[in-house]
Amino acid sequence: MKKSQKEKQQDYFLEDIRDQIKDKLENDARTDNDLMFLAVMKIVPKMVDNMDWNEKILDFTKKYEASLNEIEKLQPSSELLDSYQMYCYLICTYYLLTEEKGKKIFEQLLVWFPSKKGKETIATWPTTFIASLFRPIELEGVIYFEDIRTKERYKMILCDEEIINEIKSFRSPFLSLLVPSNKEYVTDTILETETFSLIDPAATKNLSKKDWEEHVFHWYKDNLLKSVRPEHSSFEDENVKFYSAGRLMNETDFDFANRLIEQDKILREFPYIDQLMQLLVKTIQTFPQLFLNQVNVLPLLDAIKILFTDLDMDLTAERNYSNHQGHLWLMLIAEYLAEEVTSIQNYRVAPEFWQMEV
């Protein structure tokens, strides 16, 4: 059966791309085969004028991506669009690694890829990839990505010094998809989540690997879009002196604590946010009768700051904090949650931290 003119043009187009990749792999020592194939996975399927491929990918990715109308309504910045585009590329890669029809496209791309080097390892990616939220850990000069779900650590190959320094500075977990390269792992997608709401560990602890991945993808997309949506005016007013300690209907302890933290920009930047969240949730659970609509919760947030400040002072001593609005909270937490207060000794910051500009 003869090929149509359109099919012939498509073949020429693919062959041209293949030649360009081959030239890059053979003549540029800095080019990494694995990273190049990751780029192929993200870009080539959408460039190919193959309705079968395009429709299959679109049917899958639309479950995770925002609609065009939703994006347009936000009037997003170029920075948001860049992050969202990278997220969409990650979803496309995920499709090729997880869905049966996507895996067939993956296999075709691997046969087509103009290099023999490393193909055996690449062929394992559908069963060896890791998509999750990670924290960077440096051990003896080597960067590892620790999966916050499994606590498993993956030794990374990172060649760009600028990217390495940026990753080291992250205070919050980042979204990424890792694939093996011999004994180490590589990635070409690192998505920050510093301003995002925290994931409730109680709601996700029993999720399977696939369910966790889907949960994280939706969480990232929703938070990314939320980051450019106008928030409630009372949240934006930096001069607000009162914020109700009342809970919303059906609000979990974790969601309630997270909403309270959102009222203080510096608390949102706190480097030990997990420990802070645990203490605040425990406080909510221990003193439910104090969280009333007419009660101002801001003194509690101030007390939390003091508890996480490196000060050699008796928290319960009246002479030290009697003139502080959060004194009652300090006494209650120090007395009834003494074990929890002791456990945060190693997670305190210098007093100057709370004067930082955000």
Side-chain angles (χ1 to χ4, degrees):
M1 183 177 179
K2 290 185 177 182
K3 291 186 176 182
S4 66
Q5 187 62 30
K6 185 176 181 180
E7 289 174 324
K8 289 179 180 179
Q9 289 177 343
Q10 187 68 64
D11 288 343
Y12 293 144
F13 173 70
L14 280 174
E15 194 60 34
D16 181 56
I17 296 177
R18 193 173 187 272
D19 288 342
Q20 292 182 46
I21 293 174
K22 188 171 185 285
D23 179 68
K24 189 80 171 172
L25 291 172
E26 291 177 349
N27 299 310
D28 189 342
R30 298 169 299 177
T31 303
D32 182 271
N33 281 45
D34 301 302
L35 292 178
M36 180 62 78
F37 193 75
L38 279 173
V40 165
M41 290 173 66
K42 291 189 297 189
I43 298 172
V44 172
K46 292 188 176 182
M47 293 173 66
V48 175
D49 191 14
N50 183 321
M51 290 304 295
D52 187 43
W53 282 16
N54 294 342
E55 288 179 3
K56 289 172 183 175
I57 293 174
L58 183 62
D59 285 343
F60 179 81
T61 57
K62 68 183 180 183
K63 296 188 299 183
Y64 297 97
E65 298 175 2
S67 67
L68 183 59
N69 289 338
E70 189 174 6
I71 292 291
E72 289 175 344
K73 287 178 182 178
L74 296 174
Q75 298 181 338
S77 64
S78 59
E79 184 178 354
L80 171 110
L81 289 176
D82 288 344
S83 297
Y84 183 70
Q85 183 65 64
M86 289 177 66
Y87 165 75
C88 292
Y89 280 144
L90 185 149
I91 295 299
C92 181
T93 301
Y94 184 72
Y95 167 74
L96 297 182
L97 293 173
T98 58
E99 298 297 303
E100 286 306 312
K101 294 177 180 178
K103 289 178 184 178
K104 291 180 180 178
I105 299 174
F106 171 86
E107 292 168 359
Q108 289 177 265
L109 291 174
L110 190 55
V111 171
W112 169 88
F113 191 59
S115 173
K116 294 181 180 179
K117 181 182 177 183
K119 277 194 173 183
E120 290 184 2
T121 301
I122 294 175
T124 69
W125 286 2
T127 57
T128 56
F129 81 92
I130 305 97
S132 188
L133 293 174
F134 301 90
R135 295 185 189 277
I137 295 177
E138 184 176 11
L139 297 174
E140 299 180 350
V142 178
I143 300 295
Y144 294 81
F145 285 1
E146 182 180 82
D147 187 336
I148 70 165
R149 170 177 169 268
T150 64
K151 306 306 178 185
E152 191 78 22
R153 294 178 180 178
Y154 302 93
K155 185 178 181 181
M156 300 300 300
I157 299 177
L158 299 169
C159 301
D160 192 316
E161 196 67 31
E162 186 176 336
I163 292 177
I164 293 174
N165 291 332
E166 183 180 0
I167 291 171
K168 288 180 182 178
S169 70
F170 289 168
R171 295 180 176 178
S172 300
F174 53 85
L175 175 62
S176 190
L177 188 151
L178 317 183
V179 289
S181 173
N182 296 320
K183 295 181 180 180
E184 292 85 16
Y185 285 77
V186 297
T187 185
D188 64 349
T189 305
I190 294 175
L191 299 171
E192 293 187 65
T193 66
E194 189 166 356
T195 61
F196 293 1
S197 63
L198 299 177
I199 290 181
D200 185 349
T204 58
K205 66 178 181 180
N206 294 322
L207 293 181
S208 65
K209 178 178 182 292
K210 187 171 181 59
D211 288 342
W212 164 257
E213 291 160 355
E214 293 179 356
H215 182 87
V216 168
F217 293 154
H218 285 298
W219 170 84
Y220 179 86
K221 185 258 295 182
D222 292 343
N223 274 276
L224 184 66
L225 299 184
K226 191 189 302 181
S227 69
V228 292
R229 287 185 182 132
E231 296 183 346
H232 192 279
S233 58
S234 65
F235 289 9
E236 294 182 324
D237 185 359
E238 296 182 1
N239 296 316
V240 168
K241 299 299 181 183
F242 180 92
Y243 188 81
S244 173
R247 300 181 65 149
L248 303 178
M249 187 176 296
N250 299 323
E251 193 172 40
T252 67
D253 295 334
F254 182 91
D255 289 338
F256 183 31
N258 191 48
R259 178 165 61 84
L260 297 185
I261 289 175
E262 285 294 305
Q263 309 321 307
D264 191 299
K265 292 182 178 180
I266 299 181
L267 279 181
R268 297 200 308 250
E269 298 291 328
F270 191 67
Y272 308 115
I273 192 66
D274 291 344
Q275 288 75 20
L276 190 149
M277 175 65 73
Q278 289 172 16
L279 180 61
L280 185 54
V281 167
K282 189 67 176 180
T283 302
I284 291 170
Q285 294 171 342
T286 307
F287 309 106
Q289 69 276 20
L290 298 182
F291 290 88
L292 306 173
N293 289 334
Q294 63 270 33
V295 173
N296 187 7
V297 82
L298 298 184
L300 169 60
L301 299 184
D302 287 337
I304 291 291
K305 290 179 181 178
I306 292 173
L307 290 166
F308 279 91
T309 302
D310 190 11
L311 293 170
D312 187 18
M313 297 174 71
D314 182 0
L315 296 176
T316 61
E318 188 173 348
R319 65 180 181 277
N320 290 333
Y321 293 105
S322 59
N323 63 343
H324 190 278
Q325 289 187 345
H327 185 232
L328 173 62
W329 283 112
L330 284 170
M331 290 194 301
L332 290 172
I333 295 172
E335 182 173 349
Y336 292 95
L337 299 176
E339 185 177 335
E340 286 76 7
V341 172
T342 300
S343 70
I344 65 172
Q345 297 295 315
N346 295 326
Y347 302 100
R348 290 176 170 174
V349 296
E352 293 76 16
F353 177 86
W354 306 111
Q355 276 72 57
M356 64 181 282
E357 293 185 6
V358 292

